[in-house]
Every structure is written in C-alpha cells, then in structure tokens.
Amino acid sequence: TPHPTTVDLALLNHALDTVFAPWVKELGLQLISAQPGEVRLALPVTPLHVHGGGVVCGQTLMAACDTAMVLAVMSQLGQFQPMTTVQLNTSFLKPLAGQDARVTARVVRAGKNLVFGEIDIVAVGDGKSVCRASTTYALL
C-alpha cells in the first residue's frame, strides 16, 4: 500500500470521537496538525487531570501519548487499522502544572506487523519537555 502524501484531518478527528474509550475523550485532546506519520495535539489541563500534588498525573500523560500515537499510525497508514499497544515506555522529565501541553507523536518505523514511535509532550508556557515516550504497536 502506498503511503499517503497528505492526511485526512476529518478521519483523525472522527477517530478521536469514535475509536477510543469514552474516558479518553475526557482528556480533551484536540488535533492541531498532521502530516503522514506525525500528529500534533493540544492537551488542555483541567482539574480532572491534576492529582493531589497539584500537577498533571502521569496517567493523563501516558494516555495522551498512547492516543496521539494511534493517530500518528493512522496518518501513516491513511486509514484506521485495528492495533494494540505492545509497549509504552514513558519518562516523566518535569512536573506539568498551571499550563497546557502540546503532544507530538511520530512514527519512527512502520513494518508489516509492528510500528515503532516516539512521543514528546511539551509545556505550552515554557516550551520544555515534560514527558517523552517510545512505543511499539502491533497491527492486527
């Protein structure tokens, strides 16, 4: 299958509404831009995602990484294909508090059965990385 040269943003937005579990929608992720193999999403920080220590919880950041990567894989394939997360290795670099974030997910390599990717979450206010992740997905 030839790889797309452009990305159907409507397809990705539709996936945000229909593919993921209902609680994932509560992340409020919004598509900013996409090109084949890479997506950028806005992650608005709300009290729902902040734990008792006053910072965004790791579970929110990991879910944002995983969700963004599925969309990046879709942008690479040009369509939705069932897939499952095999590995999500996450490093939390600094706390995210009092500012929204941007999530960039990029396909590093897409094979017939496995897709490898990298995700960076950056705080909007200071531009610093707060979370980095690497992933492996199995295409089903």
Side-chain angles (χ1 to χ4, degrees), residues 37-72:
E38 184 173 313
V39 299
R40 289 188 65 223
L41 303 174
L43 173 61
V45 173
T46 67
L48 184 64
H49 309 298
V50 175
H51 65 56
V55 299
V56 175
C57 67
Q59 294 92 332
T60 290
L61 297 176
M62 291 179 78
C65 286
D66 198 42
T67 303
M69 198 63 220
V70 169
L71 296 175

Side-chain angles (χ1 to χ4, degrees), residues 121-140:
I121 300 181
V122 175
V124 171
D126 61 19
K128 294 184 179 178
S129 286
V130 297
C131 179
R132 298 277 315 204
S134 63
T135 59
T136 306
Y137 289 82
L139 300 176
L140 304 176

Side-chain angles (χ1 to χ4, degrees), residues 95-107:
L96 177 62
Q99 54 188 319
D100 292 339
R102 297 288 177 264
V103 184
T104 302
R106 182 176 62 89
V107 172

Side-chain angles (χ1 to χ4, degrees), residues 76-128:
Q76 177 82 15
L77 299 175
Q79 63 184 3
F80 174 74
Q81 180 173 342
M83 64 188 87
T84 188
T85 309
V86 174
Q87 175 263 345
L88 175 63
N89 182 28
T90 310
S91 298
F92 303 101
L93 307 178
K94 69 184 280 294
L96 177 62
Q99 54 188 319
D100 292 339
R102 297 288 177 264
V103 184
T104 302
R106 182 176 62 89
V107 172
V108 174
R109 181 179 186 283
K112 285 202 292 193
N113 300 311
L114 295 176
V115 179
F116 302 90
E118 295 178 341
I119 303 101
D120 187 23
I121 300 181
V122 175
V124 171
D126 61 19
K128 294 184 179 178

